[in-house]
Amino acid sequence: MPPDLSQRRNLSERDVHLDYRLTETVEADEEAQLRILSADEQARAGRFVLPQHRTTFIAAHWLLRTTLSRYADIAPCEWVFERDRYGKPSLCNEHRRSVALDFNLAHTEGLIACVVRRGGAVGVDVESVRPGSHSLEIARRYFSPPEIDELDACPAPQFDARFVE
């Protein structure tokens, strides 16, 4: 099923829009999603060993392309991206100049998210909450003192969710 791009969205420089999908809802459309990806993205998708990683990659890049097309008259399959040395995608110079969109893409087990903004850098991060996968040791290394104090005072059943928040 092709993406419905009939609903164009307005995006002022003061707006930030977030689109997300649960990956369990996108697997059935994987072949259709794959068709709008670039040859490079298709090749990268083909290198994943685990099927769930392939599905997440394809769905994330499909979401990015279809989301961007809701803000510009560029078909999802026509977007051209560059990657920095860490693999983070950005619009090619021609698209960046013509549409002035910035985006960020994130994924975790079961969830993909894309955030879009006009005229400035933007970011999004998503995390899975798996019981027992977070520790106060990690918090002490990376969190601020007030955040650590809050986690210290947090009841054990709420610790993992609060850690991610």
Side-chain angles (χ1 to χ4, degrees):
M1 179 166 111
D4 177 14
L5 301 176
S6 62
Q7 298 293 323
R8 288 278 180 225
R9 296 180 183 168
N10 293 322
L11 187 67
S12 77
E13 289 189 13
R14 296 169 54 191
D15 294 331
V16 174
H17 289 185
L18 172 73
D19 278 342
Y20 67 91
R21 299 289 184 275
L22 300 175
T23 55
E24 67 190 32
T25 65
V26 296
E27 290 180 25
D29 298 334
E30 189 170 295
E31 289 307 313
Q33 292 172 358
L34 191 60
R35 283 193 290 274
I36 70 165
L37 272 55
S38 69
D40 176 62
E41 289 166 324
Q42 291 177 16
R44 288 175 61 204
R47 291 193 291 268
F48 285 98
V49 175
L50 297 176
Q52 65 268 29
H53 294 167
R54 172 185 154 87
T55 296
T56 298
F57 177 87
I58 292 169
H61 288 261
W62 175 89
L63 178 65
L64 171 61
R65 288 171 169 281
T66 57
T67 298
L68 290 172
S69 289
R70 289 184 174 95
Y71 301 99
D73 282 330
I74 298 174
C77 62
E78 294 176 0
W79 289 101
V80 178
F81 302 98
E82 300 170 347
R83 287 188 286 153
D84 68 13
R85 66 178 184 219
Y86 304 108
K88 181 180 176 185
S90 62
L91 292 177
C92 72
N93 285 333
E94 178 186 337
H95 287 319
R96 198 174 312 126
R97 282 190 301 274
S98 68
V99 299
L101 291 171
D102 290 285
F103 67 88
N104 191 245
L105 189 60
H107 60 84
T108 189
E109 184 179 324
L111 177 69
I112 53 176
C114 176
V115 64
V116 180
R117 174 171 187 222
R118 196 173 294 283
V122 66
V124 64
D125 192 21
V126 293
E127 295 291 334
S128 292
V129 178
R130 286 179 241 143
S133 66
H134 306 98
S135 74
L136 207 47
E137 209 173 284
I138 293 170
R140 284 194 171 94
R141 184 170 179 190
Y142 296 105
F143 293 8
S144 70
E147 290 169 328
I148 295 166
D149 291 344
E150 189 171 331
L151 283 174
D152 273 332
C154 185
Q158 298 170 4
F159 182 87
D160 290 314
R162 193 69 192 130
F163 180 98
V164 172
E165 289 172 2

